């Protein structure tokens, strides 16, 4: 399985990196929709996408507004955006308000259930994380392998059991230990 790290930077993009977005092209699975989301069409291998948002801070959702053209030109059949109900409501109310972005892409916004079936016989689960405004971490288990995506949290003891035994852990590490107070 191929994993494409479209964006790995925190808070704001710069000349060398974009904000959070990870893609599993063969499965049509995407985690977060940061500034790098504009790169998604060049890696798409499915006509259906599932986007799993960790939270609704702008650096993780702004890319949702970059995908209108691929949807209007028929490059995709469906795009499901999963997240916590309050986060999805904030995105629809504010990011896609008529005054800011007058044409809502044809996304299907889905409140994150306890678990989601994903392609290749996988099961996606999530865990709540401590972060201003709240956030979730994700884990997918397929037959024979697993992946966890955990970002925007400064208390790893909260999710150690959740990620235990995972084959690949993608985890934020934005501040060095000597700047722990900034992370909090």
């Amino acid at each position: 399985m191929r994993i494409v790290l479209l964006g790995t930077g925190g808070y704001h993009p710069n000349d060398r990196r974009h904000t959070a977005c990870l893609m599993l092209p063969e499965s049509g699975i995407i985690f977060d929709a940061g500034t790098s989301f504009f790169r998604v069409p060049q890696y798409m291998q499915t006509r259906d996408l599932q986007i799993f948002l960790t939270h609704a801070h702008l650096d993780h959702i702004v890319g949702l507004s970059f995908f209108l053209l691929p949807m209007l030109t028929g490059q995709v059949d469906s795009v499901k955006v999963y997240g916590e109900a309050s986060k999805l409501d904030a995105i629809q109310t504010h990011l896609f308000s008529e005054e800011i972005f007058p044409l809502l892409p044809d996304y299907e916004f889905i409140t994150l259930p306890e678990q989601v079936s994903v392609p290749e016989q996988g099961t996606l689960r999530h865990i709540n994380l401590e972060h201003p405004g709240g956030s979730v971490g994700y884990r997918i288990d397929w037959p024979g392998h697993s992946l966890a995506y955990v970002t925007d949290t400064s208390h790893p003891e909260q999710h150690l059991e959740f990620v235990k035994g995972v084959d690949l852990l993608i985890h934020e590490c934005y501040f060095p230990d000597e700047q722990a107070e900034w992370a909090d």
Side-chain angles (χ1 to χ4, degrees):
M1 175 170 298
R2 186 167 157 220
I3 297 170
V4 180
L5 300 169
L6 298 172
T8 60
Y11 185 59
H12 59 83
N14 61 43
D15 289 339
R16 295 176 9 145
R17 63 184 186 186
H18 281 273
T19 62
C21 188
L22 178 141
M23 184 176 191
L24 306 170
E26 294 89 0
S27 301
I29 296 171
I30 301 170
F31 291 104
D32 283 330
T35 58
S36 56
F37 198 78
F38 74 93
R39 296 177 173 150
V40 165
Q42 74 188 60
Y43 292 100
M44 285 177 23
Q45 295 180 19
T46 65
R47 295 194 52 82
D48 300 297
L49 298 178
Q50 291 178 292
I51 303 168
F52 296 93
L53 301 175
T54 56
H55 59 295
H57 289 167
L58 200 54
D59 58 323
H60 290 256
I61 65 161
V62 69
L64 292 173
S65 67
F66 303 163
F67 206 65
L68 187 58
L69 189 57
M71 295 190 81
L72 291 175
T73 59
Q75 287 181 265
V76 294
D77 293 330
S78 71
V79 179
K80 295 177 180 177
V81 179
Y82 291 86
E84 294 178 295
S86 62
K87 310 312 189 267
L88 297 177
D89 183 55
I91 291 165
Q92 292 173 74
T93 302
H94 301 292
L95 180 64
F96 291 116
S97 73
E98 190 168 324
E99 294 81 11
I100 294 173
F101 199 89
L103 184 58
L104 177 65
D106 191 21
Y107 294 137
E108 182 181 350
F109 291 96
I110 301 171
T111 300
L112 194 57
E114 196 169 309
Q115 63 181 37
V116 178
S117 294
V118 295
E120 301 169 32
Q121 301 173 345
T123 301
L124 178 139
R125 297 178 293 130
H126 62 92
I127 187 173
N128 290 327
L129 302 172
E130 187 174 323
H131 186 61
S135 184
V136 295
Y138 292 103
R139 177 179 177 141
I140 303 178
D141 290 288
W142 294 277
H145 60 286
S146 56
L147 159 75
Y149 177 75
V150 180
T151 185
D152 285 44
T153 186
S154 56
H155 300 281
E157 64 278 359
Q158 293 177 336
H159 58 270
L160 286 177
E161 194 61 36
F162 182 73
V163 300
K164 187 175 183 178
V166 75
D167 293 307
L168 177 62
L169 171 62
I170 300 168
H171 195 289
E172 173 190 34
C173 187
Y174 196 68
F175 291 100
D177 289 345
E178 55 272 3
Q179 293 180 329
E181 71 281 356
W182 283 79
D184 283 336

